[in-house]
Amino acid sequence: MDNPDTIQRADIGQPSRRGLIVALGIGGMATAFAVSARPAAAQEGSTTTSTPAPTTTAVPVPTTTAPPQKPTRADLELLRFAETVERTAARGYLALTDARLAELGFDDPTTEVFRAITGHHRAYAEAISALHGPTNPRSPSDEIAGALGIAALADGDGPTVLEAAQNIEEILVGTHLDLIGTAQSTNTAALLASLQIVEARHAAVLARLRNLPYGASAQAFEDAADSLSTTYFTPEL
Amino acid sequence: MDFSRDELRRELRELDRMHQATEGAQRSLVTAVFEDVPAEHRSAVLLGGVDRRGFFRIGGLAVAATAVFAACREKEPKDPIPVSGQSPDFESAKNKPVTDIVLLRTASSLEWSIIDVYQKLLNNGFIEDPAVIDLLLIFQSHHVSHADAFAKATTEAGGTACTQPNSKITHDLFDPILATIAGAGGNGAEDSNAFAHALETLAGATYQTFTPSLSQPALRRAAMAVGAIEARHASVLAVLLNPAELVGSSSGSPAAPDDTAPTTTAVFVGVPTSTPAVTTTVVESAAEANIIVAIPGAFGSRAPIPLTVGPSAEGVIRKAVNLETPSLNSYLYEDEAC
């Protein structure tokens, strides 16, 4: 509250008592902020010195953008296709029951190989479905079953079944290789790689069971010449 | 419990009467306290003597005192511990970035390291089975193609291609295993086969591991175009070396019980005494000591690959090594020579 005394001092240009207190308070606060901010600045490197910060030990930061980890929308479509392919293959191998394997006259190691392959494709379908996330499970595709030549598993004799199974695995290896080269997310690529590498083993073992020699003509690189994705995978995006 | 409502009402009315009787006296007391205080000073009495001006005064002084204390604090930390002599300058560890070029260079160098091992195995005559020798020659030619492909990819990505074995892997891991195999005696051939199988498995697992680390889908595809071939190599070799057990126990289909006689080696120890009994100790054969299965599991494994090599004898512990896919300590970084 002003009184005649303070008004008189203001008139003659001298700071009032209240103004002095307020000015002192503001000045103190400003000083306190400046002092308290000093340690943080010292940690980051002083900006008051004229010499620049040393850069000899600096690590160059890669400028490439990190790929996504989780499946992208396009990857989800790709996963749905891969799941359909695996469910189709799994359904086809179900024709090779223990009774049928015995009927075909396979020995124990060969029988175990077929049992394992059947379980693997079911596991692949489930793993792909799990990575995709909640959705209706995909159904096997008759069209893809035809492309894989699955009918021979149910109808053929021993050598025919072995040949058909090897053909299925070769097609799956090529298909997944194609999908690995299409998938954007690292999780999708990692899952597909983990199953494609075993499907290549399936194919190699089945070829050996057919007594095919692993000769000098063996390819040094997998190819995707017979990939199903070029014909049956049509992304909607 | 039962309450008498009438009794409750009577109690409440009595309480209300007592309150009415004391309220007037309390009001008179408050009025008497402020009766002699001027109206402009009553707020000061109620607030304990701090008016608006006093509030600013105290606040300003407190802030100013804080500023003074902060400004007077010690600026430079004292030397923590007196040190005699000159302390060495330590260079902090560098975290080198793992780029596509690093992975491609490492892939080339690993291929050359495997080629180098096969050449040593073949040159030293460690492998006896002609079928295995033929396979290794084919595998070796494939590894040369793989190394060339990754060298080309490295150059296209802007890096310096590596056309030599990875010195960290060769010197620290592969060469000691070869030295052990050289002294393995009768196990040399089986150990060599097991080593070749482990190398192919390792190569496949390496590309599977690199796949999610590569930033470009095209490079991932290139990695698995090679990785799947390495897996085929491992399986073909496994079918040849262990045809009775094609599927691993973790493959979801337990192996059928084996009716054949065990292939373990019986070592007879102990000095013959007057009693005819002898002590037999079963020593694991070279083939049994290593897991050689064409289809080891449902999914490709990136776990370390166990390998056991060395001579089998009573009281001798064979050398067990874990082959691990290249990682931070064995990558071939961009600023490193092969």
Side-chain angles (χ1 to χ4, degrees), chain A residues 112 120 124 170 178 194 220 222, chain B residues 146 221 232 251 253 294 298 300:
Chain A
E112 288 306 316
H120 289 180
Y124 299 155
E170 299 285 6
D178 228 5
S194 74
E222 298 286 355
Chain B
H146 300 164
R221 176 188 169 125
R232 285 181 192 252
S251 204
S253 175

Side-chain angles (χ1 to χ4, degrees), chain B residues 36-333:
Chain B
D36 297 332
V37 179
E40 64 269 21
H41 291 156
R42 282 181 184 169
S43 62
V45 171
L46 282 170
L47 295 173
V50 180
D51 57 359
R52 188 159 171 263
R53 179 178 294 179
F55 179 76
F56 277 119
R57 188 189 302 127
I58 292 170
L61 285 173
V63 172
T66 304
V68 169
F69 285 137
C72 292
R73 73 175 174 83
E74 202 169 355
K75 294 181 179 65
E76 295 297 329
K78 290 181 179 177
D79 289 338
I81 300 172
V83 177
S84 62
Q86 199 168 15
S87 59
D89 295 330
F90 290 103
E91 189 178 356
S92 61
K94 294 176 183 176
N95 291 323
K96 297 181 181 179
V98 179
T99 60
D100 288 347
I101 292 174
V102 172
L103 298 175
L104 292 170
R105 295 188 82 219
T106 306
S108 297
S109 66
L110 176 66
E111 294 286 354
W112 283 113
S113 290
I114 293 172
I115 293 165
D116 179 59
V117 169
Y118 283 168
Q119 200 57 48
K120 289 171 180 170
L121 288 174
L122 294 169
N123 288 348
N124 293 333
F126 290 154
I127 297 177
E128 298 165 352
D129 188 342
V132 176
I133 291 173
D134 288 346
L135 280 180
L136 291 198
L137 288 171
I138 296 168
F139 296 169
Q140 199 178 30
S141 69
H142 286 180
H143 289 304
V144 171
S145 300
H146 300 164
D148 289 344
F150 286 120
K152 187 181 173 192
T154 305
T155 307
E156 288 174 354
T160 304
C162 175
T163 55
Q164 297 291 324
N166 186 315
S167 60
K168 302 167 193 170
I169 294 173
T170 294
H171 294 151
D172 297 343
L173 187 61
F174 291 171
D175 280 351
I177 294 172
L178 285 170
T180 307
I181 291 174
N187 285 342
E190 287 188 343
D191 284 353
S192 298
N193 295 343
F195 190 21
H197 175 262
L199 286 177
E200 296 299 336
T201 307
L202 173 72
T206 297
Y207 295 115
Q208 187 190 333
T209 304
F210 281 7
T211 294
S213 301
L214 290 163
S215 67
Q216 303 299 321
L219 291 177
R220 296 177 199 154
R221 176 188 169 125
M224 285 317 297
V226 173
I229 292 292
E230 316 289 28
R232 285 181 192 252
H233 290 173
S235 288
V236 169
L237 205 48
V239 171
L240 186 65
L241 300 175
N242 189 13
E245 190 180 358
L246 299 178
V247 178
S249 57
S250 62
S251 204
S253 175
D258 189 6
D259 296 333
T260 59
T263 56
T264 53
T265 305
V267 177
F268 295 86
V269 297
V271 179
T273 62
S274 57
T275 54
V278 292
T279 306
T280 59
T281 304
V282 175
V283 177
E284 214 170 27
S285 72
E288 283 179 324
N290 293 293
I291 303 166
I292 300 178
V293 179
I295 305 174
F299 293 90
S301 170
R302 298 183 296 174
I305 299 145
L307 176 69
T308 304
V309 292
S312 293
E314 177 67 21
V316 174
I317 298 174
R318 304 184 74 208
K319 181 174 183 175
V321 185
N322 277 335
L323 302 185
E324 297 185 25
T325 57
S327 188
L328 297 175
N329 286 333
S330 46
Y331 283 153
L332 208 55
Y333 294 96

Side-chain angles (χ1 to χ4, degrees), chain A residues 83 87 121-131:
Chain A
E83 184 187 347
R87 289 207 186 279
H121 287 296
R122 212 162 39 225
Y124 299 155
E126 295 302 328
I128 294 168
S129 176
L131 180 60

